[in-house]
Amino acid sequence: MKLQRKNRLRALSLGAVAVTGALTLSACGSDDNGGGSGSSTPSSSANASSIKCDDAKGQLLADGSSAQKNAIDAWVKAFSQACGVQINYKGSGSGAGVTAFTQGQVAFAGSDSALKPEEVAASKKVCNGGQGIDLPMVGGPIALGYNVPGVDNLVLDAPTIAKIFDSKITKWNDAAIKKLNPDAKLPDLKIQAFHRSDESGTTDNFTKYLIAATPSNWKYEGGKAWQAKGGQSAPQSAGVAQQVKQTSGAIGYFELSYVADGVKAVSIDTGASKPVAPSTESATADIAAAQIVGTGKDMALQLDYKTKAEGAYPMTLVTYEIVCDKGNKADTLPATKAFLRYIASEDGQKVLSTIDYAPVPSDIITKVRETIEALS
């Protein structure tokens, strides 16, 4: 089953080259909050012509997860060219996105954490006769990017990661890091651990991993806001990635698509036969084991952060698009459905493999497509 999934991912990745060849993607470190509104001139490309615009028109405002910003930029480019609809996705972070949604400021929001009960309750005030639901749309690994001169292949495990981000391990040549990297030339260099300054679903998923994998070393309750002691902060994924890139001795957590020149990614010792590096395939191997725990039309997932399966990367996240199941605004519903339909489509999901994200497993994305068609 896993081999078949890997083969399918390789095929999707190859097929996606044609899909994204004409797209001009934002740089991986980009944090352009101006959104990705594309040209209003319909595209003649095969990918654009396969997009169903229906009655989509005007513009959509959206906000939320910066983790999916690079994916949204690619999708918006193709959709806007095909349908002439402008989409302004700010990417201000999951917390900001959920707040904007429950206040009726956006047509949809992106969040790396499923809605909490109190957020669902708040959504009923803006979803006339309905409520906000979670639609899993983007998967991917949370990479631990590091900048340590002379160290090209770094392995860490959950206890060591927890101690680094809780200011209990402060030097790169600490005995615990040496034990995991016996052949590395680890410098006597101070560790500069960066975390998110804004409320973030990436933080929520990162700390859920630590709580699950090493509870004795991470005693915080978790959530979108950072709680551990010490460290330095930066806004949004791009901000953390930029700080790691320019700071010797730095380490931070962000999506794999933000790993760029000057930043390398940690491999995690999960207890499997060999450490697992973050990749599209290793993240998908973990997400494929997720369980749908949402009720009704909600499709919130429960991930396995403690996996020891061979080739499965444990520190993953799923970004949800949050939308009203019923009671969407009449002037934005056609465009919202058309855009969500495209990004959940085979063509839309193919794009993800080429920009370091993981497509949502086929059995889950099939249910997402059915739910989108029923939005009203």
Side-chain angles (χ1 to χ4, degrees), residues 41-120:
T41 303
S43 169
S44 60
S45 70
N47 181 49
S49 65
S50 69
I51 297 174
K52 294 182 179 180
C53 301
D54 291 340
D55 297 322
K57 59 183 178 181
Q59 69 173 17
L60 292 179
L61 298 180
D63 197 0
S65 165
S66 63
Q68 69 167 356
K69 181 68 164 61
N70 293 328
I72 289 285
D73 284 348
W75 282 331
V76 165
K77 181 70 174 179
F79 183 78
S80 295
Q81 285 181 339
C83 300
V85 175
Q86 292 188 332
I87 300 177
N88 185 333
Y89 182 83
K90 289 185 177 181
S92 301
S94 296
V98 171
T99 297
F101 179 76
T102 57
Q103 292 180 351
Q105 299 171 356
V106 294
F108 69 91
S111 177
D112 307 317
S113 299
L115 290 169
K116 297 177 180 178
E118 61 269 26
E119 293 168 340
V120 173

Side-chain angles (χ1 to χ4, degrees), residues 310-327:
E310 296 295 329
Y313 186 79
M315 203 159 58
T316 58
L317 61 75
V318 170
T319 301
Y320 302 94
E321 311 311 332
I322 296 172
V323 67
C324 296
D325 59 353
K326 298 178 182 178

Side-chain angles (χ1 to χ4, degrees), residues 50-354:
S50 69
I51 297 174
K52 294 182 179 180
C53 301
D54 291 340
D55 297 322
K57 59 183 178 181
Q59 69 173 17
L60 292 179
L61 298 180
D63 197 0
S65 165
S66 63
Q68 69 167 356
K69 181 68 164 61
N70 293 328
I72 289 285
D73 284 348
W75 282 331
V76 165
K77 181 70 174 179
F79 183 78
S80 295
Q81 285 181 339
C83 300
V85 175
Q86 292 188 332
I87 300 177
N88 185 333
Y89 182 83
K90 289 185 177 181
S92 301
S94 296
V98 171
T99 297
F101 179 76
T102 57
Q103 292 180 351
Q105 299 171 356
V106 294
F108 69 91
S111 177
D112 307 317
S113 299
L115 290 169
K116 297 177 180 178
E118 61 269 26
E119 293 168 340
V120 173
S123 74
K124 293 180 180 179
K125 298 177 182 178
V126 296
C127 300
N128 187 18
Q131 66 179 51
I133 56 173
D134 302 287
L135 300 178
M137 202 70 74
V138 182
I142 301 173
L144 284 175
Y146 70 96
N147 179 357
V148 182
V151 181
D152 294 327
N153 298 292
L154 182 67
V155 175
L156 297 175
D157 59 10
T160 307
I161 294 168
K163 291 173 184 176
I164 286 173
F165 281 89
D166 200 21
S167 303
K168 293 178 179 177
I169 291 179
T170 59
K171 290 289 188 74
W172 280 111
N173 61 349
D174 186 273
I177 303 177
K178 282 185 175 180
K179 185 177 180 179
L180 291 164
N181 300 272
D183 298 325
K185 295 182 179 180
L186 296 165
D188 182 13
L189 180 65
K190 182 181 178 181
I191 294 174
Q192 306 277 0
F194 284 89
H195 58 264
R196 289 282 289 272
S197 60
D198 53 323
E199 288 202 356
S200 160
T202 309
T203 295
D204 190 16
N205 283 275
F206 176 53
T207 55
K208 280 179 179 175
Y209 160 71
L210 295 176
I211 291 168
T214 183
S216 62
N217 291 296
W218 195 262
K219 298 183 180 297
Y220 304 98
E221 64 183 25
K224 291 180 181 139
W226 185 256
Q227 298 168 342
K229 302 173 183 177
Q232 301 181 62
S233 64
Q236 303 167 357
S237 293
V240 175
Q242 182 62 30
Q243 289 298 322
V244 172
K245 181 178 180 179
Q246 65 189 25
T247 306
S248 180
I251 186 170
Y253 59 90
F254 36 81
E255 295 64 46
L256 185 60
S257 66
Y258 289 93
V259 174
D261 294 340
V263 177
K264 299 178 179 67
V266 170
S267 293
I268 297 181
D269 183 347
T270 64
S273 63
K274 60 182 180 179
V276 184
S279 69
T280 292
E281 290 191 1
S282 63
T284 299
D286 185 53
I287 295 170
Q291 301 294 318
I292 297 176
V293 294
T295 58
K297 294 181 180 179
D298 187 85
M299 296 191 62
L301 302 177
Q302 182 174 314
L303 300 172
D304 183 6
Y305 298 102
K306 296 191 292 183
T307 182
K308 294 183 180 180
E310 296 295 329
Y313 186 79
M315 203 159 58
T316 58
L317 61 75
V318 170
T319 301
Y320 302 94
E321 311 311 332
I322 296 172
V323 67
C324 296
D325 59 353
K326 298 178 182 178
N328 289 279
K329 294 180 180 178
D331 58 338
T332 58
L333 177 59
T336 299
K337 286 185 71 170
F339 181 66
L340 294 178
R341 181 186 295 119
Y342 161 59
I343 67 179
S345 72
E346 185 176 347
D347 279 347
Q349 289 289 298
K350 280 180 181 178
V351 172
L352 297 175
S353 299
T354 68

